[in-house]
Amino acid sequence: MKIEKKYYSEEARLWKEAEEKEQQWKKNATEGEKMQREILSQMEAEKIVSEMQAAQKESYQMIYRQRMERFKVLGQKAIDLAEEAPMDIIVETEKLFGRIQMTADCLMIMESSSISMRTDFAALIEESESISILPRADGMIEITFIYPFYTELKRA
C-alpha cells in the first residue's frame, strides 16, 4: 500500500501563483491605486497593534520558577544529545523563555541510537512550546526549541 499526498507542493504552487498575481498587479497598478493600498495596509496594521495593546492591558504574565528549573534539566539533556549526535548547540535563557538551538547537516535517531538519545529528543519536543526546523544557506539544518517560563493570566 502506498499513500502519497502533496500538501507542500500544492501550497507552494498556490503561493507562487499569488506572488505572480501580486507582481502583475504592481506592474499594472496606477500610483493612486498603490497609494490607496498602502494606506489601507497601514490602517489594518494600526488596528491589529491597537487590539494587541488592548489585550495586553487585560492580562499579565506570571513566571513559574519550576518551568525555569525544568529548562535547566532540558538544557543539559540537549547538550548531552548534541555531543552524542554530534551537533552544534546554543542553550540560552531570556527573561520570559528559554531557547535551545541545535545545528547539524542532518539528524538521525534510529533504533540503534541510545535510549537516552531517543528519550531526550522526545522530551525536548514534548515539552517545547514551539519548534522550528529550518535549512540554512550553508546547507545545515537548524532546530530551535522555545520554552516559555510564563503563563498569561487575565486581570480581574
Side-chain angles (χ1 to χ4, degrees):
M1 178 175 157
K2 179 179 179 179
I3 297 173
E4 184 175 355
K5 305 283 185 178
K6 298 200 174 197
Y7 299 117
Y8 173 81
S9 298
E10 180 62 14
E11 187 67 26
R13 184 190 65 77
L14 292 172
W15 187 257
K16 183 178 179 187
E17 229 175 67
E19 286 179 331
E20 288 170 355
K21 284 182 183 178
E22 178 66 15
Q23 292 301 328
Q24 190 65 31
W25 183 87
K26 284 180 179 180
K27 183 178 171 184
N28 296 329
T30 66
E31 286 303 313
E33 290 171 327
K34 290 177 184 177
M35 196 141 178
Q36 183 179 15
R37 182 188 253 191
E38 179 64 31
I39 290 169
L40 288 173
S41 292
Q42 190 172 4
M43 289 171 58
E44 287 177 19
E46 287 172 1
K47 180 181 175 188
I48 291 169
V49 168
S50 175
E51 289 170 358
M52 286 175 55
Q53 288 172 337
Q56 285 177 341
K57 289 179 183 177
E58 295 174 6
S59 66
Y60 64 96
Q61 296 167 334
M62 182 171 172
I63 295 180
Y64 288 103
R65 181 153 258 1
Q66 59 268 38
R67 288 186 184 178
M68 296 173 88
E69 294 302 318
R70 181 62 184 154
F71 179 73
K72 289 178 187 175
V73 172
L74 289 170
Q76 187 56 56
K77 287 178 181 290
I79 291 168
D80 295 343
L81 174 66
E83 182 178 6
E84 189 174 350
M87 302 175 84
D88 294 342
I89 186 166
I90 299 171
V91 178
E92 62 184 334
T93 305
E94 300 286 331
K95 181 179 178 185
L96 297 175
F97 64 92
R99 176 184 15 252
I100 296 172
Q101 186 175 44
M102 305 171 109
T103 308
D105 61 348
C106 68
L107 173 63
M108 294 178 64
I109 299 176
M110 305 176 298
E111 183 181 345
S112 60
S113 299
S114 69
I115 291 173
S116 65
M117 186 176 186
R118 290 183 280 154
T119 57
D120 289 351
F121 191 70
L124 292 174
I125 292 170
E126 187 175 318
E127 296 186 44
S128 67
E129 171 103 349
S130 65
I131 304 166
S132 65
I133 303 172
L134 302 170
R136 293 190 340 182
D138 62 2
M140 303 288 274
I141 57 169
E142 187 173 275
I143 306 169
T144 304
F145 302 91
I146 303 294
Y147 303 88
F149 301 145
Y150 66 92
T151 191
E152 291 281 332
L153 299 172
K154 291 239 181 229
R155 294 189 189 276

